[in-house]
Amino acid sequence: MASVAPEVEKKEEEEQVVNPWEVSAGKGGIDYDKLVDQFGCQRLDAALIDRIARLTGRPPHRFLRRGLFFAHRDLNEILDIYEKGDKFYLYTGRGPSSEALHLGHLVPFMFTKYLQDAFKVPLVIQLTDDEKFLWKNLTVEESKRLARENAKDIIACGFDVERTFIFSDFNFVGGAFYENMVKVARCVTYNKVVGIFGFTPEDHIGKISFPPVQAVPSFPSSFPKHFSGNDQLRCLIPCAIDQDPYFRMTRDVAPRIGYQKPALIESRFFPALQGENTKMSASDPNSAIYVTDSTKDIKTKVNKYAFSGGQDSVELHRKLGANLEVDVSIKYLNFFLEDDDELERIKKAYKEGRMLTGEVKQLLVTVLSEMVERHKRARARVTEEMVDAFMAVRPLPNMFG
Amino acid sequence: MGRTKEELLARLEELKIDFKRHDHPVVLTVEDQAKHVGNFGGALTKNLLLKDKKHRLYIVSALADTKVDMKILSQRLGLGKGGVRMAPEENLRQVLQVPLGCVTPFALFNESASAVSLLLDQGLKSKQSCYFHPLTNDVTIALSSSNLDKFLLSIGKQPAYVDLEASPVVGKDNPPDLADLVPSGAFCSSEESVENPTPKDAPQVNVPKEKTCLPEVKAKPKVQNKGAESSESKVLTNNGPNVEIFASDVLEVIFPLFLSEASKKLNIKQEELTQILKLDDFKRRAAPDLESVTNMFKNMAYTAGFHAGFDTMLKSGLGGMPSRK
């Protein structure tokens, strides 16, 4: 799967571009309302969030409460199915392009873990090592190695081993999975795929034939050993909204090959430290907080690079307050501070100038350090044998328990 | 395999227990049941399945118009103010092995329900006969409370009648009067050691801030879950090691011990401490780290087992597995 991290470039034009390989905003950042309209997905409203809380018997995840996962396709159908006592499965993935994961990469995995725990359903995680080989200048061995390394960080996020199957394309593609890939491929014309993904005649055919690989994990028959006989089992895909084009294509093809359409639950983009209009990239380590950063690194990065919406001087700040729209520390707290009341208090105090940028940043450093330390501790416990276990094609008897 | 209603009714006949049988379409609520048997003279009962924070289950069987106050009941059981709530549907299916809308004292006939505590409304004794479901909700049987007792005794259960509408004060000088009805298990021994307070005497816990809504047992006319799984083929016990439940259990053991230690060392009365330090805040802060650590532990155990199994198959084939005969 293409990287979740947005690659937002400063462009002169007003037009925003959002697809799996390019995300660029017009002036003023991404217009999510326009995006939802343009893509044709639905907004996740309070009623739906309440329904999720009721059905799962637990409070909704903060990403739902804060509107970070904010759009969906067919989520209400999935909830109807679940309410009747039937099941569904989750599908998410990662394009293993670099060893280091940053917090933006963790967001969809954190949310997927919540979905798995709340609904008690199985999960397949696809590592698209082939995609990275095709798009980046990597060898096959390096792509495979990165996939296994990334699998360790994914495992550290806390998925349930009894309900989770992780696979990499180089290892797994073949058999029924490949049959589905070819079925999908036959239903999508060259023109269509160019229209959706922006391919050009100069692009090699590896790229053009890749999309079915990411589409077919939505179909349970791609996993005959796991979901044998359950061809109509529905699939829910948590992802960032830039992945929507992939699954629009998949949803279009599904009924034509006798399969159910996958449902989607989509998130906003995670901002780079320097602000929404900056590119978060592996080549600039200061654009993001990585799961390998020490508390000292986090402190330095936040203090030095996190774009502040505060005023230039203390006096001005006390008078005018902060601009929450552009303040990155507040945006990060929105993602990672659990307590709703505390967050509201901070936002209010900061906006009214009673709280200073330094204080907000200090709190953010504490919150982020706790999270990163927890991740590191878990990551240290992941062994090669554990990766083998998660990636083995093994029976999952309790997967719907 | 759960017991069937035929097995139950046959057993009642064996025991020479008098009962009247009424067949009707499936009913999910007391109101619907009343439509079919309301005029036959027996007393309607409501049957609740409750669960406490340690996942122990209680059936409360009462006359339909007896008021059951969960807060008071929770205190009387020694579980604090918000200690019990309605149990989720899976407990009905897995532990009681009855369908939705069918909680009944007769569920104790199933071995899977052996740890479930039964609280009977004193009011049942005053009626000539009371209505219960015999493991399915397309039949209602009417029998007297003494006959119900006869059945319960025959399966080794001591019937416990309670004045459900009473609300005695529970405090330092008045221990919870229903504490004996809490099922015994790992965390709750009836032979208490003097030093460590058992969780029954644990400080009052507040109702958690965030509301969680669990489906009420008899209220919703939901479609039955005929579908993917059949409950007969499911393994009875909890489906695999559950990280969240484990972490919650650990925190519930540690927190009272911590309070007790702190109270002793800081020379503050434990009651005062519990006003300041709340179990739920503690749980909320500790849960993410504890769950993460627990999950990794589970992964390590699973990984070891997985590789052991794989190697066994490689080296010894099917012969590696002992035979059970």
Side-chain angles (χ1 to χ4, degrees):
Chain A
M1 209 180 256
S3 167
V4 160
E7 288 162 350
V8 179
E9 304 199 40
K10 231 201 196 135
K11 281 219 159 100
E12 309 306 353
E13 322 89 75
E14 288 297 329
E15 280 253 26
Q16 65 185 15
V17 179
V18 176
N19 68 48
W21 294 284
E22 187 191 347
V23 172
S24 56
K27 269 205 283 195
I30 299 275
D31 183 342
Y32 285 104
D33 287 320
K34 205 166 166 196
L35 202 54
V36 166
D37 279 336
Q38 185 193 340
F39 282 176
C41 41
Q42 320 296 123
R43 287 210 86 125
L44 251 177
D45 58 18
L48 212 43
I49 297 176
D50 274 336
R51 193 176 173 206
I52 295 174
R54 256 185 300 117
L55 286 177
T56 56
R58 62 176 69 199
H61 193 275
R62 66 177 180 275
F63 292 165
L64 285 170
R65 304 197 307 264
R66 312 267 168 86
L68 299 169
F69 271 82
F70 74 113
H72 75 95
R73 290 181 188 276
D74 288 351
L75 181 60
N76 44 341
E77 279 182 37
I78 296 284
L79 296 180
D80 289 341
I81 286 169
Y82 184 76
E83 193 167 27
K84 279 216 292 272
D86 288 330
K87 299 294 188 168
F88 62 93
Y89 72 102
L90 295 164
Y91 155 40
T92 192
R94 168 158 170 78
S97 56
S98 59
E99 235 168 300
L101 265 76
H102 55 61
L103 296 185
H105 294 136
L106 285 192
V107 162
F109 289 116
M110 290 164 106
F111 190 66
T112 306
K113 173 187 157 61
Y114 152 77
L115 290 173
Q116 182 178 62
D117 291 341
F119 288 100
K120 302 216 185 328
V121 287
L123 161 67
V124 302
I125 302 181
Q126 179 184 44
L127 295 167
T128 56
D129 40 8
D130 53 349
E131 182 206 1
K132 291 309 160 185
F133 170 80
L134 290 167
W135 261 266
K136 308 267 178 176
N137 196 14
L138 298 170
T139 62
V140 169
E141 289 71 31
E142 184 65 3
S143 307
K144 283 159 95 170
R145 190 189 68 81
L146 286 176
R148 270 191 80 100
E149 282 308 303
N150 281 187
K152 293 178 186 167
D153 278 297
I154 292 173
I155 290 171
C157 290
F159 294 106
D160 187 346
V161 65
E162 293 186 279
R163 304 199 166 100
T164 305
F165 172 53
I166 302 179
F167 67 99
S168 82
D169 290 341
F170 277 134
N171 259 334
F172 192 71
V173 169
F177 192 94
Y178 180 66
E179 286 171 21
N180 279 342
M181 276 168 57
V182 176
K183 284 187 192 172
V184 168
R186 194 167 72 169
C187 290
V188 184
T189 63
Y190 175 75
N191 282 336
K192 190 110 194 234
V193 93
V194 165
I196 298 176
F197 300 115
F199 294 138
T200 70
E202 280 67 51
D203 284 320
H204 57 69
I205 57 176
K207 287 190 184 178
I208 299 165
S209 44
F210 177 74
V213 181
Q214 191 165 323
V216 307
S218 325
F219 307 132
S221 57
S222 304
F223 304 100
K225 295 254 160 67
H226 298 96
F227 301 129
S228 64
N230 211 343
D231 272 8
Q232 297 303 304
L233 184 65
R234 295 295 299 263
C235 176
L236 174 63
I237 309 177
C239 60
I241 195 164
D242 64 341
Q243 303 294 308
D244 193 88
Y246 259 124
F247 300 113
R248 273 207 306 278
M249 175 196 82
T250 312
R251 284 169 58 90
D252 189 57
V253 170
R256 288 151 64 190
I257 52 179
Y259 291 149
Q260 294 285 350
K261 297 183 191 181
L264 296 173
I265 183 167
E266 297 162 305
S267 74
R268 297 176 189 273
F269 300 117
F270 189 77
L273 270 176
Q274 291 94 334
E276 299 263 21
N277 291 328
T278 322
K279 196 174 181 145
M280 201 170 6
S281 82
S283 53
D284 179 10
N286 291 322
S287 60
I289 307 285
Y290 288 86
V291 297
T292 43
D293 284 344
S294 66
T295 304
K296 190 152 157 273
D297 292 331
I298 296 175
K299 192 165 179 190
T300 309
K301 286 188 189 182
V302 168
N303 284 333
K304 263 176 109 169
Y305 301 105
F307 188 81
S308 161
Q311 302 300 334
D312 290 330
S313 70
V314 175
E315 297 79 34
L316 254 180
H317 184 91
R318 296 258 187 237
K319 196 161 145 210
L320 301 172
N323 179 1
L324 297 189
E325 298 298 304
V326 301
D327 188 282
V328 166
S329 303
I330 289 291
K331 286 178 199 280
Y332 273 41
L333 284 175
N334 212 23
F335 272 90
F336 298 122
L337 182 63
E338 175 58 38
D339 191 330
D340 291 337
D341 293 333
E342 199 185 340
L343 182 65
E344 276 318 297
R345 268 184 279 122
I346 294 169
K347 278 175 152 175
K348 191 157 185 279
Y350 192 39
K351 187 167 186 194
E352 293 171 3
R354 286 178 284 119
M355 198 167 176
L356 299 176
T357 303
E359 294 166 308
V360 175
K361 286 193 171 186
Q362 196 174 41
L363 177 65
L364 178 62
V365 169
T366 308
V367 168
L368 295 182
S369 306
E370 239 181 70
M371 253 179 60
V372 169
E373 282 312 301
R374 184 177 311 137
H375 186 94
K376 277 195 209 159
R377 198 190 308 122
R379 174 70 168 81
R381 293 252 177 277
V382 181
T383 58
E384 295 296 335
E385 288 78 17
M386 200 181 286
V387 175
D388 291 338
F390 268 92
M391 294 184 73
V393 180
R394 65 212 191 279
L396 302 177
N398 283 338
M399 66 173 159
F400 291 121
Chain B
M1 227 9 229
R3 305 277 195 163
T4 62
K5 73 164 179 272
E6 284 80 22
E7 282 178 68
L8 171 65
L9 298 178
R11 173 68 68 90
L12 292 179
E13 277 164 22
E14 267 173 58
L15 293 167
K16 305 247 190 307
I17 289 177
D18 253 332
F19 66 91
K20 271 216 194 64
R21 171 183 174 150
H22 302 284
D23 287 68
H24 50 68
V26 165
V27 293
L28 293 172
T29 62
V30 179
E31 292 76 42
D32 286 337
Q33 188 183 32
K35 290 189 201 140
H36 297 284
V37 298
N39 293 326
F40 292 129
L44 290 160
T45 63
K46 63 184 171 202
N47 296 269
L48 314 169
L49 183 64
L50 306 177
K51 180 181 189 158
D52 68 19
K53 295 190 171 179
K54 292 204 172 47
H55 315 291
R56 293 175 294 217
L57 293 172
Y58 308 79
I59 295 178
V60 175
S61 188
L63 293 176
D65 37 20
T66 297
K67 284 200 182 49
V68 177
D69 185 323
M70 305 253 269
K71 279 204 284 283
I72 295 178
L73 194 57
S74 173
Q75 281 181 296
R76 290 173 72 185
L77 287 165
L79 302 172
K81 275 208 192 108
V84 291
R85 39 181 67 162
M86 303 294 281
E89 201 186 312
E90 14 180 283
N91 292 140
L92 248 106
R93 283 185 273 123
Q94 285 172 18
V95 179
L96 295 193
Q97 296 195 282
V98 295
L100 191 62
C102 196
V103 179
T104 166
F106 290 107
L108 296 184
F109 194 31
N110 280 317
E111 266 168 45
S112 52
S114 56
V116 177
S117 175
L118 175 63
L119 278 72
L120 297 165
D121 180 5
Q122 208 153 275
L124 297 174
K125 287 207 246 194
S126 66
K127 301 287 179 185
Q128 258 198 334
S129 66
C130 303
Y131 290 134
F132 301 101
H133 283 307
L135 302 180
T136 57
N137 32 18
D138 55 355
V139 178
T140 296
I141 57 176
L143 76 174
S144 67
S145 63
S146 50
N147 274 330
L148 176 64
D149 293 348
K150 213 165 156 188
F151 169 75
L152 291 169
L153 288 165
S154 81
I155 55 171
K157 302 287 175 188
Q158 187 68 239
Y161 287 89
V162 171
D163 179 359
L164 287 172
E165 293 190 323
S167 52
V169 174
V170 172
K172 215 171 33 159
D173 300 319
N174 301 320
D177 65 319
L178 301 180
D180 288 334
L181 295 175
V182 174
S184 54
F187 291 104
C188 185
S189 62
S190 33
E191 313 92 56
E192 298 161 1
S193 65
V194 181
E195 286 102 284
N196 298 336
T198 65
K200 272 194 297 196
D201 302 332
Q204 311 254 351
V205 291
N206 286 336
V207 179
K209 215 170 29 171
E210 279 134 346
K211 287 210 189 86
T212 60
C213 304
L214 294 169
E216 212 192 297
V217 169
K218 239 176 161 38
K220 275 202 275 212
K222 274 192 349 195
V223 177
Q224 292 290 359
N225 55 316
K226 300 176 174 124
E229 337 94 33
S230 60
S231 39
E232 289 86 52
S233 53
K234 254 207 194 145
V235 174
L236 216 49
T237 50
N238 207 356
N239 288 316
N242 184 307
V243 166
E244 291 175 323
I245 295 181
F246 177 79
S248 173
D249 288 347
V250 166
L251 293 172
E252 283 175 15
V253 167
I254 304 253
F255 190 63
L257 294 178
F258 167 75
L259 279 188
S260 154
E261 268 298 289
S263 145
K264 256 187 273 169
K265 297 280 161 70
L266 299 175
N267 213 0
I268 308 180
K269 283 222 192 76
Q270 207 161 316
E271 296 78 44
E272 287 177 39
L273 263 185
T274 62
Q275 295 305 315
I276 313 170
L277 303 172
K278 307 285 182 197
L279 172 63
D280 281 323
D281 293 334
F282 181 68
K283 266 192 179 179
R284 210 172 301 131
R285 284 211 61 187
D289 284 318
L290 186 55
E291 282 174 14
S292 171
V293 162
T294 305
N295 194 61
M296 287 319 289
F297 189 72
K298 174 178 166 178
N299 284 342
M300 292 192 285
Y302 180 98
T303 299
F306 173 77
H307 285 280
F310 191 74
D311 288 341
T312 303
M313 200 51 196
L314 279 182
K315 300 200 166 85
S316 322
L318 292 171
M321 194 67 148
S323 92
R324 289 196 185 175
K325 300 210 177 72

